[in-house]
Amino acid sequence: MHTLRQIPIKQKLVIIIMVTTAAALITAGLGIVIADSLLFRGYLRRDLSATARMIADNSTGALAFNDPAAAAQTLVALRELPHVIGACIYQPDTRVFATYSREGRVDCPPAQRGDGVRFVGDRLTVSQTILLDNRPLGTLILSYDLTEIGERIRLYGGTVLSVLLFASLLALLLSARLRTIIATPISHLVSAATAVSQTGDYSIRAQKLSEDELGALVDRFNEMLAGIQSRDNDLKNALHKVDQERERFHFLAESMPQKIFTATPTGENDYLNRQWMEFTGLSFAQMQGWGWTQFIHPDDLEANLRLWRQSIATGEPFRLEHRFRRADGKYRWHLTRAHAMRDESGNITMWIGSNTDIHEQKEKEEELRRANDDLRQFAYSASHDLQEPIRNVAVYSELIGRRYAEVLDEDGQQFLGFLRESGRRLATLVSDLLAYTVASMAELCETAVNSSAILENARETLAGAIRENQAIVTHGELPEVHMGAAHLHQVFQNLIGNALKYRSHAPPHIHVSAVQRGGMWCFSVRDNGIGIDPQYNDKIFGLFKRLHHDRTLSGTGIGLAICQRVVERYGGRIWVESEPGKGATFFFTVPANQPLSFATGQSSAG
Ligand code: ADP
């Protein structure tokens, strides 16, 4: 069976056809021989019985007249039957009465009673009672040579064998020709499959030679190849595109002044552009994986690793300002940004990042911060120290006015009036400046305050002006915010104070409300005052910037600058929407949650 499995399908087909044909022919031949043998025996039994009866009938006379010669004469008729080898007629007392022998030697078996046919060895004996008027006169026994059956079997066997040989020969010839009908399409299919697997060329097709199941198999095989070919082409195109993209990326990364890197989803650096090697003087092999940690400033390393691991775990963008050691050993500040690239299922496939040298910018920022601190300190000290002499100017001009009123002529009185007014304005200016510098320097507040309570305080502070102006101050539902109470108080006070100051003829109506937008609360302070020309919407937040110089509308131009300074320190912003004559609405945002740090950016004031 094992060897049968290994032989080619062509030979298998021939063997199958031959074995099947031989089995069918042998079965049919055996069937014919057996059937013929059985039929022949039946026929022989009937034929011999009839012959025996006929001989018995013809022998009655001879027995009745005791004439053995006549009986022998009757038996001679058996010569016509070549296989009857002998016959014996017995008298009732079993003595042999007459005999017949084909060969000349009579060998009479013992007489039997009763009629019957018996097969004994290679002989068949027929016993027939000879009757006259139903009275037994004797018995006839015929002996038949059964070699005829053997001859017949041999004849049939020979015939069957010849037919078998001929048929097998014919089957061999026919199968040798007909097997190609099945074997050829299969070998084509095998050759095509072998060629595809050896060359990897999916444009090869198997030749279809028939419309049967093999034809259908070839069609499906070719369709399969076409499908693979198209997918193979798509894959090749996609790979080509990926290669092109990679080349483009590398070209871009190599030609950029910035340092560029990519990392695996687990954070190992797997690409660093040329600028990295030039900057650090290290090879890619030294920096790849986590090798980059060796050139991070020791003071920045812990935060760097913590943030990078956090980004890898969460997929959030990475951003950090830190110092890298240059080839000459000097550290330079860099801004590193990295973003995760994801596939369609949202899984991170790689990290791509840039490192921008911000050393000069960082140094300038530091210089600027120091200068601003100095300036703020100077403004604070100056405004603080100036308060004392200004107060003296106010006190002594008041004293002069009271004690020397009679001595002063009209001009003197007028000059004293100018002096008092200037002193008063100087005092307001200095106190506003002090408030501005305090707003710039105040510490971050960590606790939440109730903004509606703060608004109430501001309203109480402005109670006199509200009453004088017959103003109405209303508010909607106000939230808790993470902001210093004094800071929020100052913002409300400045905005409501301005709404009262820049009122129209109608009694002022001021409404304060707040809505949440993302992570911020957006407050609004709306009034029905004189409004602002939109072209000045930004300008009015600058330090000392005023639109109305009317003497009745006194001011220093610092109030809105203070508001902006405070709001920006908390990471928010302030702006106005207004039209002249239609009132103004001031908006400002503050974080809904605790701010992470004070904004260090410069105020646009000044
Ligand atoms: P000040 O009120 O001391 O002049 P501010 O910084 O508070 O300084 O305001 C700057 C300018 O913005 C004001 O001079 C005024 O012209 C304009 N302004 C502020 N608030 C309002 C308001 N509610 N309606 C109209 N104009 C306003």
Side-chain angles (χ1 to χ4, degrees):
M1 213 51 184
H2 184 67
T3 34
L4 198 65
R5 266 194 218 139
Q6 286 174 340
I7 61 170
I9 202 156
K10 279 185 192 169
Q11 289 174 21
K12 262 189 206 141
L13 282 171
V14 172
I15 291 171
I16 289 166
I17 292 167
M18 295 298 296
V19 169
T20 316
T21 312
L25 285 171
I26 289 168
T27 315
L30 277 176
I32 290 167
V33 170
I34 291 165
D36 182 73
S37 158
L38 292 173
L39 282 171
F40 184 67
R41 277 175 178 240
Y43 158 74
L44 204 61
R45 188 189 290 252
R46 276 194 309 279
D47 199 35
L48 285 179
S49 296
T51 306
R53 261 197 310 278
M54 197 180 72
I55 300 280
D57 288 348
N58 290 337
S59 306
T60 47
L63 275 167
F65 294 105
N66 198 18
D67 184 358
Q73 197 60 43
T74 306
L75 290 177
V76 168
L78 290 170
R79 255 198 207 121
E80 297 305 317
L81 300 171
H83 288 282
V84 177
I85 53 172
C88 297
I89 295 174
Y90 301 86
Q91 288 179 319
D93 56 1
T94 70
R95 272 184 299 129
V96 175
F97 180 66
T99 61
Y100 161 76
S101 167
R102 197 178 160 74
E103 309 289 325
R105 195 177 64 84
V106 186
D107 186 12
C108 286
Q112 298 169 19
R113 288 201 175 275
D115 299 341
V117 177
R118 285 200 305 150
F119 288 91
V120 180
D122 59 349
R123 289 203 182 164
L124 173 71
T125 56
V126 182
S127 166
Q128 177 69 46
T129 312
I130 302 166
L131 297 168
L132 181 66
D133 299 331
N134 284 333
R135 188 168 57 84
L137 289 183
T139 308
L140 168 70
I141 291 183
L142 287 182
S143 290
Y144 187 87
D145 182 7
L146 283 176
T147 51
E148 190 187 359
I149 293 182
E151 276 168 24
R152 281 180 80 99
I153 288 173
R154 272 193 294 283
L155 183 70
Y156 276 113
T159 312
V160 165
L161 209 62
S162 312
V163 170
L164 188 68
L165 280 175
F166 179 73
S168 299
L169 200 65
L170 200 65
L172 185 67
L173 289 173
L174 283 175
S175 63
R177 295 202 131 259
L178 295 176
R179 70 186 175 182
T180 53
I181 296 171
I182 291 175
T184 310
I186 292 176
S187 25
H188 271 88
L189 206 58
V190 172
S191 318
T194 312
V196 170
S197 81
Q198 279 173 354
T199 61
D201 178 4
Y202 296 105
S203 64
I204 292 172
R205 294 289 176 271
Q207 196 184 347
K208 186 179 176 182
L209 298 172
S210 60
E211 291 300 331
D212 54 9
E213 288 89 337
L214 280 172
L217 186 66
V218 170
D219 279 343
R220 297 298 91 77
F221 177 73
N222 286 341
E223 279 167 21
M224 216 165 69
L225 281 180
I228 296 172
Q229 188 187 7
S230 123
R231 258 178 289 166
D232 189 52
N233 286 341
D234 291 350
L235 195 70
K236 277 185 191 145
N237 287 341
L239 283 175
H240 183 62
K241 267 194 197 140
V242 168
D243 279 348
Q244 275 183 330
E245 288 300 316
R246 193 177 296 145
E247 270 172 37
R248 215 186 322 204
F249 168 75
H250 278 186
F251 179 76
L252 205 71
E254 295 297 325
S255 53
M256 273 171 88
Q258 276 172 316
K259 297 171 192 69
I260 304 287
F261 68 91
T262 63
T264 62
T266 47
E268 283 96 24
N269 261 353
D270 56 2
Y271 168 75
L272 294 154
N273 68 349
R274 187 174 41 85
Q275 286 72 349
W276 266 114
M277 329 292 165
E278 286 171 4
F279 179 82
T280 58
L282 300 171
S283 68
F284 172 68
Q286 287 171 296
M287 292 188 285
Q288 68 171 334
W290 293 86
W292 52 272
T293 47
Q294 62 183 295
F295 55 75
I296 306 289
H297 194 288
D299 293 349
D300 302 336
L301 188 58
E302 194 259 312
N304 192 156
L305 286 172
R306 184 168 39 80
L307 281 177
W308 183 226
R309 288 197 179 112
Q310 187 181 317
S311 287
I312 292 160
T314 59
E316 283 167 8
F318 174 88
R319 187 185 189 285
L320 184 67
E321 288 180 7
H322 47 170
R323 284 158 287 179
F324 297 151
R325 193 183 59 238
R326 208 166 49 183
D328 60 7
K330 291 204 173 105
Y331 283 95
R332 287 186 68 81
W333 280 99
H334 281 75
L335 168 65
T336 299
R337 285 198 188 92
H339 287 266
M341 272 179 69
R342 295 169 189 273
D343 60 17
E344 305 87 56
S345 340
N347 299 319
I348 295 175
T349 52
M350 68 183 285
W351 286 88
I352 179 159
S354 64
N355 316 81
T356 315
D357 190 323
I358 53 163
H359 199 75
E360 272 78 33
Q361 184 189 329
K362 202 72 180 162
E363 276 181 343
K364 282 204 182 89
E365 260 178 31
E366 187 55 26
E367 267 172 36
L368 205 64
R369 196 185 56 76
R370 273 199 294 271
N372 271 331
D373 281 351
D374 292 349
L375 207 64
R376 246 182 256 124
Q377 200 55 48
F378 168 74
Y380 179 78
S381 317
S383 46
H384 191 267
D385 296 350
L386 275 174
Q387 275 186 328
E388 179 65 21
I390 290 168
R391 238 193 325 270
N392 287 343
V393 171
V395 170
Y396 288 110
S397 56
E398 189 63 41
L399 268 176
I400 293 171
R402 256 194 255 145
R403 285 202 198 161
Y404 307 100
E406 299 89 47
V407 232
L408 289 173
D409 62 4
E410 205 174 317
D411 279 355
Q413 292 281 356
Q414 198 183 10
F415 295 158
L416 188 63
F418 290 154
L419 192 66
R420 273 193 201 145
E421 175 58 18
S422 297
R424 201 178 51 72
R425 287 184 59 195
L426 203 58
T428 318
L429 186 68
V430 167
S431 101
D432 280 359
L433 260 178
L434 195 62
Y436 181 76
T437 50
V438 167
S440 306
M441 294 190 295
E443 287 301 315
L444 175 70
C445 168
E446 306 229 328
T447 52
V449 292
N450 183 341
S451 58
S452 109
I454 305 289
L455 175 67
E456 203 47 52
N457 290 346
R459 210 154 59 163
E460 276 167 25
T461 312
L462 294 165
I466 292 173
R467 218 178 11 258
E468 256 171 47
N469 286 289
Q470 294 173 325
I472 304 169
V473 182
T474 57
H475 66 87
E477 203 178 319
L478 299 178
E480 283 201 337
V481 287
H482 284 270
M483 208 174 166
H487 283 151
L488 188 59
H489 184 277
Q490 197 159 31
V491 174
F492 278 144
Q493 188 182 324
N494 286 358
L495 294 179
I496 296 170
N498 279 351
L500 294 170
K501 203 191 319 180
Y502 303 107
R503 56 167 293 182
S504 61
H505 295 298
H509 183 191
I510 302 153
H511 183 74
V512 181
S513 59
V515 286
Q516 192 165 14
R517 284 190 196 146
M520 307 292 273
W521 279 104
C522 181
F523 284 81
S524 63
V525 180
R526 191 184 68 226
D527 65 46
N528 58 344
I530 55 176
I532 301 163
D533 189 336
Q535 63 171 308
Y536 301 116
N537 278 357
D538 292 332
K539 200 179 162 196
I540 54 171
F541 294 99
L543 203 55
F544 308 121
K545 293 289 185 289
R546 306 199 65 219
L547 297 184
H548 307 94
H549 297 281
D550 188 332
R551 285 184 71 80
T552 54
L553 301 173
S554 64
T556 56
I558 299 177
L560 288 180
I562 292 175
C563 292
Q564 188 180 50
R565 188 77 204 157
V566 167
V567 168
E568 285 183 351
R569 294 269 292 165
Y570 285 92
R573 66 185 194 96
I574 185 166
W575 71 100
V576 64
E577 287 175 10
S578 173
E579 268 183 57
K582 291 192 177 169
T585 307
F586 283 82
F587 297 92
F588 65 95
T589 58
V590 288
N593 300 314
Q594 194 172 317
L596 287 176
S597 64
F598 272 128
T600 51
Q602 285 298 293
S603 164
S604 60

